[in-house]
Amino acid sequence: MKSHEAWMQQALNLARSTTGQTAPNPMVGAVVVKDGCLVGMGAHLKAGTPHAEVHALEMAGENAAGSTLYSTLEPCNHAGKTPPCTEKIISSGVKRVVIGCQDPDSRVAGKGIQRLKEAGIEVIVGILEKECKQINEAYFHHRQTGFPFITLKTATTLDGRIATASGHSKWITNSLSRERVHQLRHQHQALLVGIGTVLADDPQLTTRLPQGGRNPLRVIVDSRLRTPADAQITDVSKADTLIFTTEKRDQHKEAQLLSKGVQVMIAGAGPRVDWEFVFRTLGDRGVISVLVEGGSEINASLLEGNWIHKVIAFLSPKLLGGSSSLHSIGGKNPQKVSEAKKLKDITLERYGEDLCVIGYL
């Protein structure tokens, strides 16, 4: 007989298979087990469609009666775009529900567990809880704070350079690392850069994977509105673009950008945008995750303001050197090593010869 942890791991694998598809909803996997055998399984595929528990129970059919349902997240007990999962579970005749973690959404938050217990169903909570929370770290953060979960991505040489003094940066990392970055874009709802990146590189800021992928909302921080009207990010047929600027903006340029379908929002009087306004606005729009691919000043500003939650740093085994080469983080000059931002819960990945360091602030 498999353990609760083994069945929950199978549900977790189902949840992970939907990475990048479900936001602003969480990734959820579920399996139905009867007499030690798997009789149903499912995952939440997209916001507005049936939840994982529903898919698993429908696959189980009559075998759901007297079974155990494993779900990575507490089943919902409210009617939204889909009916409450708790009622489906109760009517299916499930005798036990094993839950990875409680849902932080105020509409659920223990109410689903309570409803199942009131119906006489045995409920076990907290199996592989850490893993179940981690796959939905952005969802949990957004539900608890109202702000998106923000990840800083950098790609540097071993000596911390992102480009030469002339701005040349193609390519610091290898093709495997770059493909992983496109996977990260697919997995995040928004991609944020500063005006310096737009002017230097004229990037598309889209997801380009062999199998396609979802394009995130392109967020540009441009205090004076210097974005060229013919920049690639102004083509909103590929992806939506939202520019945050200030009252010191170029109003003629604003009219040009608006005429092309680019969204422009005033985020403070200036000279710099108000980060709290930026992220509150994105959170209010239901954006739960932001990937930052900025230059040294944007990165420094976000770190100084304690806005970054996670860092994904790609390291290429190259030494570029040069006192004027561009660094991944600019900003104020620290006086002591103790002023450094320290990462925790470190994991390492390898992409060919490149290394990737992942950690949390």
Side-chain angles (χ1 to χ4, degrees):
M1 295 288 288
K2 285 187 179 181
S3 64
H4 288 323
E5 287 77 12
W7 288 119
M8 187 62 72
Q9 186 60 59
Q10 193 158 342
L12 268 168
N13 293 341
L14 288 165
R16 289 193 183 100
S17 71
T18 67
T19 300
Q21 296 179 199
T22 64
N25 285 4
M27 294 177 284
V28 183
V31 296
V32 181
V33 179
K34 188 171 185 179
D35 299 328
C37 297
L38 177 68
V39 294
M41 60 183 180
H44 179 47
L45 301 178
K46 185 180 179 181
T49 65
H51 292 180
E53 302 92 330
V54 173
H55 286 302
L57 290 169
E58 288 184 348
M59 181 178 177
E62 294 181 356
N63 284 319
S67 68
T68 297
L69 169 69
Y70 292 83
S71 180
T72 56
L73 189 67
E74 176 183 6
C76 67
N77 188 47
H78 65 284
K81 293 182 179 179
T82 59
C85 288
T86 50
E87 300 311 310
K88 175 73 172 179
I89 294 168
I90 294 167
S91 64
S92 296
V94 169
K95 72 173 183 179
R96 180 191 299 116
V97 177
V98 181
I99 298 169
C101 59
Q102 185 172 306
D103 193 328
D105 191 312
S106 59
R107 296 170 298 176
V108 188
K111 299 181 181 69
I113 294 170
Q114 181 181 352
R115 175 70 182 110
L116 294 174
K117 288 181 176 179
E118 290 173 349
I121 296 174
E122 179 188 355
V123 180
I124 300 172
V125 184
I127 303 299
L128 299 186
E129 182 175 19
K130 180 180 179 181
E131 294 87 341
C132 289
K133 286 183 175 180
Q134 187 171 33
I135 65 167
N136 286 309
E137 58 191 9
Y139 171 79
F140 269 74
H141 180 80
H142 180 263
R143 288 297 186 273
Q144 291 165 345
T145 68
F147 288 94
F149 185 88
I150 304 166
T151 298
L152 172 64
K153 186 278 296 181
T154 61
T156 71
T157 58
L158 282 183
D159 51 344
R161 268 64 171 183
I162 59 174
T164 65
S166 67
H168 187 262
S169 61
K170 291 182 174 57
W171 293 103
I172 295 290
T173 53
N174 63 30
S175 59
L176 294 174
S177 293
R178 297 198 297 274
E179 181 171 332
R180 176 63 182 131
V181 171
H182 282 281
Q183 291 173 350
L184 290 172
R185 290 181 179 183
H186 168 72
Q187 293 166 10
H188 287 77
Q189 283 185 283
L191 173 60
L192 186 150
V193 302
I195 180 58
T197 298
V198 173
L199 294 176
D201 300 335
D202 189 24
Q204 297 181 57
L205 302 182
T206 53
T207 299
R208 298 183 298 281
L209 292 167
Q211 67 274 26
R214 185 186 59 80
N215 288 325
L217 169 68
R218 299 177 294 197
V219 178
I220 314 300
V221 176
D222 183 0
S223 299
R224 289 181 286 150
L225 213 53
R226 292 182 290 153
T227 300
D230 61 350
Q232 291 196 84
I233 56 97
T234 65
D235 181 359
V236 296
S237 66
K238 297 179 179 179
D240 290 336
T241 299
L242 170 59
I243 299 179
F244 285 100
T245 187
T246 69
E247 293 176 5
K248 299 183 183 297
R249 70 199 182 281
D250 180 333
Q251 295 188 30
H252 175 68
K253 180 66 68 61
E254 180 180 20
Q256 288 182 310
L257 293 168
L258 290 171
S259 70
K260 298 194 70 172
V262 174
Q263 304 168 61
V264 178
M265 295 195 72
I266 310 302
R272 297 179 180 274
V273 300
D274 181 338
W275 283 122
E276 183 168 353
F277 179 89
V278 169
F279 294 123
R280 173 66 69 185
T281 298
L282 293 175
D284 288 347
R285 287 185 169 209
V287 173
I288 68 172
S289 60
V290 177
L291 180 67
V292 178
E293 291 191 43
S296 63
E297 294 309 311
I298 286 288
N299 295 348
S301 178
L302 289 169
L303 284 167
E304 288 169 7
N306 294 316
W307 288 105
I308 301 298
H309 304 108
K310 184 176 183 178
V311 174
I312 301 178
F314 292 87
L315 302 173
S316 173
K318 301 171 184 173
L319 298 170
L320 186 59
S323 59
S324 297
S325 296
L326 303 182
H327 294 263
S328 61
I329 300 171
K332 300 175 183 177
N333 290 311
Q335 301 302 307
K336 299 178 181 179
V337 173
S338 59
E339 297 176 47
K341 302 281 188 181
K342 189 174 182 180
L343 300 182
K344 62 181 182 179
D345 299 330
I346 303 296
T347 56
L348 299 174
E349 296 175 356
R350 185 167 179 172
Y351 298 96
E353 294 182 340
D354 290 351
L355 297 177
C356 182
V357 180
I358 303 169
Y360 295 84
L361 286 162

